[in-house]
Amino acid sequence: MKAHIVYDSAFGNTKSVAEAVAGSLGDLDATPVAVSDFRPDDLAAGDLLVLGSPINGWRPTPKITQLLSTLGDGHLKGVKAAAFDTRVRMFIHGDAAKKMAHALRDSGADIISEPMPFYVQGSEGPLRPGEIEKAKLWGKSLLEALERP
Ligand SMILES: Cc1cc2nc3c(=O)[nH]c(=O)nc-3n(C[C@H](O)[C@H](O)[C@H](O)COP(=O)(O)O)c2cc1C
């Protein structure tokens, strides 16, 4: 069983969250991979897929959206999945993680966590204090969800 932590990131903040999540998945073979380098054919039943994207104009980035559209119906059958986004703390910031989780479910994935937001201090970051620790805790909670019967 493998964990695929797939992210898009313009300024490195989403990548940092992906690395923190990957590092907290215990003995799982978990490597963060940029969305451009990810091949959906590498996914096998029982694997974990974690998708991370910055919010761009209230939605995931074009590269993440493109990946989700190539997955299509049923491609993720048997795959466990979760989604996170990075965003600024504004009154109206939109959402990417929820949209990604819906698309993953539509492709047949078993969603094992609520979509998770992580906050940056400005468009280029850095992450707000405490967000890396939050990412590590979230990673551990994914591991616990995987271990549940
Ligand atoms: C073109 C563009 C559009 C953005 N739109 C939003 C938005 O709608 N809501 C939001 O909360 N943040 C928005 N942001 C801020 C990004 O979420 C922020 O740049 C991102 O979290 C940084 O992550 P990264 O370093 O991985 O690229 C936008 C940033 C850019 C560059």
Side-chain angles (χ1 to χ4, degrees):
M1 178 199 179
K2 244 188 120 174
H4 309 259
I5 318 298
V6 181
Y7 64 87
D8 196 9
S9 187
F11 307 108
N13 299 283
T14 313
K15 180 181 183 192
S16 296
V17 172
E19 288 169 346
V21 170
S24 64
L25 288 174
D27 293 336
L28 271 190
D29 177 9
T31 315
V33 50
V35 61
S36 323
D37 298 330
F38 178 64
R39 293 193 311 265
D41 286 349
D42 289 346
L43 285 165
D47 280 1
L48 171 66
L49 172 63
V50 178
L51 214 48
S53 176
I55 303 184
N56 272 188
W58 294 21
R59 52 177 65 84
T61 64
K63 282 183 192 170
I64 294 282
T65 303
Q66 165 69 20
L67 168 65
L68 288 166
S69 71
T70 61
L71 290 174
D73 276 357
H75 196 107
L76 296 181
K77 225 167 170 36
V79 171
K80 315 263 184 192
F84 71 89
D85 64 38
T86 60
R87 54 177 73 180
V88 292
R89 197 182 278 280
M90 290 191 301
F91 181 56
I92 302 178
H93 41 65
D95 191 278
K98 250 187 224 168
K99 292 185 174 80
M100 290 152 69
H102 282 152
L104 290 166
R105 185 179 287 120
D106 286 350
S107 294
D110 174 15
I111 302 297
I112 61 164
S113 167
E114 289 296 309
M116 184 60 73
F118 295 93
Y119 291 91
V120 295
Q121 292 185 357
S123 275
E124 298 188 14
L127 286 158
R128 290 175 75 96
E131 294 298 88
I132 287 294
E133 290 70 23
K134 190 172 109 187
K136 290 179 183 166
L137 286 175
W138 188 58
K140 283 187 187 141
S141 78
L142 296 180
L143 200 55
E144 284 161 17
L146 284 175
E147 283 162 0
R148 250 173 251 141

